[in-house]
Amino acid sequence: LAAAACSSPPPAETPWSEGTPSSTLAGARPNVLLILLDDLGYDDLGIHGNDIVETPYIDALARESVRFESFYVTPVCATTRAALLTGRHHLRTGVSHVHGGKDYVDLGETMLPEVLREAGYATGMWGKWHSGTGDGYMPWERGFDEAFVARLYRYFDNQGVTNGEPDPQAGWTPERLTDKAIDFMTRRGDRRFFAYLPYLTVHSPLDAPEALVEKYRAKGLGGSLAELYAMVDGLDGQIGRLLDAVDSLGIADDTVILFLSDNGPWVGTNTLTEEEHRVRYVSGMRGHKGDVWENGVRSPLFVRWRGRLEPRLVTRLTDVTDLFPTFLDLAGVEA
């Protein structure tokens, strides 16, 4: 399915050790820019065969990346975040669902930013936290030097909080989150950085600039799908800004960039029609967010490191818990 869905012939799979021996990567201490989308479906990208939504910057990132085509997360938001930030099965961390106290990562867990900060990295996060609130649970208490926790799910004039202090943001939230990440990378000095950018996009309620929505209405789409694709399109522009910033700062060869989603597409609020589902699910995979069917837990994973990782397609089974130990290897930190 993955091969059939690609809009261009993928590069042949090459074992990780060929061309880029693991011994040359371990301890290389690159910067890490980790981009996590919310409720983005595997089929919501041009690179995966969707010829309606326009994602030129994400597609370009994918073509420069190692693309993991059998990469899996969990069925919902908080459980994936728990696994991503601890490297452990989410139930071991105390996280079993998305609200009602079931989304709190136990305080006894070691989080990725804690380990990287101890290893000398500057650490920053901007967007959706969803790993617990209250004393001891906030990101600035769990390893992040600076963290902006956005209000869920406010896409315009977000009333967020930075390191415990109110920090209202005027305008479109994806743009403001991107501003903060670029500012952080610019201010880093000589320190290596871990920049974690968990966007709110495309979690419901659907909201995007009217000009972008109209662009997709003009393509013949109905209200909900036009809004959804407008959100993806707008976010793609912000990814473009991030990539341009990495280039302009002269750190592209020293920065690993990762792009993934936290689960499959949501179909509850702002429900799409049956025809819109057929249009959206170009791969024909079964299920959606909340399911353990393929479309509920399969995510894109693009990993770009210019000059160190050759673009290629990897079809071996990989999982969100694989990322934590990989980051530790890159930073030269023993688990």
Side-chain angles (χ1 to χ4, degrees):
L1 286 175
C6 289
S7 58
S8 59
E13 177 173 358
T14 303
W16 184 264
S17 59
E18 284 189 22
T20 316
S22 58
S23 59
T24 69
L25 298 179
R29 292 181 62 80
N31 302 308
V32 177
L33 173 57
L34 177 58
I35 303 166
L36 178 66
L37 270 64
D38 195 347
D39 290 5
L40 180 85
Y42 180 92
D43 292 339
D44 293 333
L45 300 173
I47 192 72
H48 290 156
N50 191 318
D51 59 4
I52 298 177
V53 69
E54 297 180 22
T55 54
Y57 295 106
I58 297 172
D59 295 349
L61 173 65
R63 292 188 179 100
E64 286 190 278
S65 297
V66 180
R67 289 160 51 190
F68 291 85
E69 286 293 288
S70 298
F71 176 72
Y72 292 89
V73 291
T74 75
V76 292
C77 313
T79 52
T80 289
R81 283 165 170 73
L84 172 67
L85 293 170
T86 67
R88 284 156 51 80
H89 191 286
H90 60 88
L91 289 177
R92 293 185 180 274
T93 75
V95 176
S96 59
H97 216 278
V98 294
H99 291 303
K102 298 179 180 180
D103 54 343
Y104 281 57
V105 176
D106 290 340
L107 294 181
E109 293 292 328
T110 299
M111 284 201 163
L112 178 62
E114 294 177 287
V115 178
L116 292 181
R117 184 166 69 176
E118 189 173 319
Y121 277 67
T123 56
M125 171 259 165
W126 313 271
K128 177 177 176 176
W129 176 235
H130 210 176
S131 294
T133 58
D135 291 345
Y137 289 93
M138 301 306 291
W140 47 84
E141 299 173 294
R142 309 208 69 172
F144 285 106
D145 296 322
E146 63 179 73
F148 173 80
V149 176
R151 180 179 175 183
L152 305 179
Y153 293 93
R154 185 82 171 251
Y155 289 103
F156 194 81
D157 288 351
N158 196 287
Q159 304 298 308
V161 175
T162 294
N163 286 27
E165 297 297 325
D167 187 9
Q169 299 294 306
W172 288 100
T173 303
E175 187 174 350
R176 298 290 80 81
L177 298 180
T178 306
D179 289 344
K180 287 181 174 292
I182 292 173
D183 177 64
F184 173 81
M185 293 190 294
T186 303
R187 289 187 286 104
R188 79 199 188 287
D190 294 330
R191 289 180 69 188
R192 292 300 193 197
F193 65 77
F194 170 55
Y196 175 43
L197 197 45
Y199 285 103
L200 312 181
T201 311
V202 293
H203 196 291
S204 62
L206 305 179
D207 193 10
E210 184 58 29
L212 282 177
V213 177
E214 188 55 41
K215 171 182 176 179
Y216 286 94
R217 289 195 189 111
K219 292 188 176 192
L221 301 184
S224 291
L225 192 55
E227 285 190 285
L228 175 73
Y229 281 177
M231 292 176 76
V232 177
D233 190 319
L235 193 279
D236 181 75
Q238 299 310 312
I239 301 298
R241 290 182 59 216
L242 278 174
L243 299 178
D244 287 346
V246 169
D247 287 343
S248 65
L249 291 169
I251 58 174
D253 292 344
D254 301 317
T255 304
V256 174
I257 302 173
L258 299 94
F259 175 94
L260 65 152
S261 182
D262 62 354
N263 46 246
W266 177 233
V267 296
T269 309
N270 303 108
T271 305
L272 306 182
T273 66
E274 287 189 21
E275 177 57 30
E276 286 172 328
H277 280 304
R278 283 193 290 270
V279 169
R280 186 181 186 189
Y281 296 164
V282 295
S283 67
M285 290 188 295
R286 183 178 184 179
H288 49 74
K289 176 181 178 177
D291 287 343
V292 291
W293 295 114
E294 189 86 350
N295 204 33
V297 292
R298 185 178 177 189
S299 165
L301 175 61
F302 309 142
V303 182
R304 192 192 87 176
W305 190 0
R306 282 186 182 162
R308 304 300 290 270
L309 295 177
E310 290 296 321
R312 60 188 183 274
L313 189 72
V314 173
T315 58
R316 298 190 302 283
L317 180 67
T318 48
D319 175 82
V320 64
T321 57
D322 293 326
L323 295 179
F324 187 109
T326 301
F327 292 141
L328 266 57
D329 281 347
L330 292 176
V333 176
E334 283 194 27

